[in-house]
Amino acid sequence: MSTIRLKNIKIYAFHGCLVEEGKIGSDYLVNLAVKADLKRAAHTDELSDTVDYVQLQKIVKDEMGIRSKLLEHVGKRIIDRIFEQLPLVNGVKVTVSKVNPPIGGDVSEVSVTMASER
């Protein structure tokens, strides 16, 4: 099994339980790792034989664009959509981080990491 990673995808989104978060929005970082058998791609050098990281980034961007109260909800949607659209993927690990969360303290970010296998 091989791993493809997308590191620190920067997205402005509107997640959170507070009404203000839905209006003002916040900066987010998403880190994604997918596991797949990439032996064929290594041999053929063809994009069709691998997991296209452009499509992975699009899935993350699209799902981050749908408002959720909880980062857990966003993470699960990202995982589900990857499994739905990319049959080569056998495992997904995603971390969704809210930068400068409004929690009344000096915290640089909060994050939720979720992982699943097919």
Side-chain angles (χ1 to χ4, degrees), residues 14-19 21-22 28 67-71 98:
F14 297 86
H15 306 300
C17 294
L18 302 175
V19 174
E21 292 175 298
Y28 291 82
R67 178 165 161 67
S68 290
K69 290 183 278 184
L70 302 178
L71 299 180
K98 181 183 288 191

Side-chain angles (χ1 to χ4, degrees), residues 48-82:
S48 60
D49 291 330
T50 191
V51 178
D52 186 350
Y53 49 80
V54 172
Q55 190 172 3
L56 289 171
Q57 191 275 341
K58 183 179 181 332
I59 290 170
V60 168
K61 181 181 175 189
D62 289 350
E63 293 303 324
M64 287 295 292
I66 301 169
R67 178 165 161 67
S68 290
K69 290 183 278 184
L70 302 178
L71 299 180
E72 294 87 340
H73 191 251
V74 180
K76 177 157 182 5
R77 283 201 326 264
I78 291 169
I79 291 169
D80 289 348
R81 186 148 164 222
I82 288 170

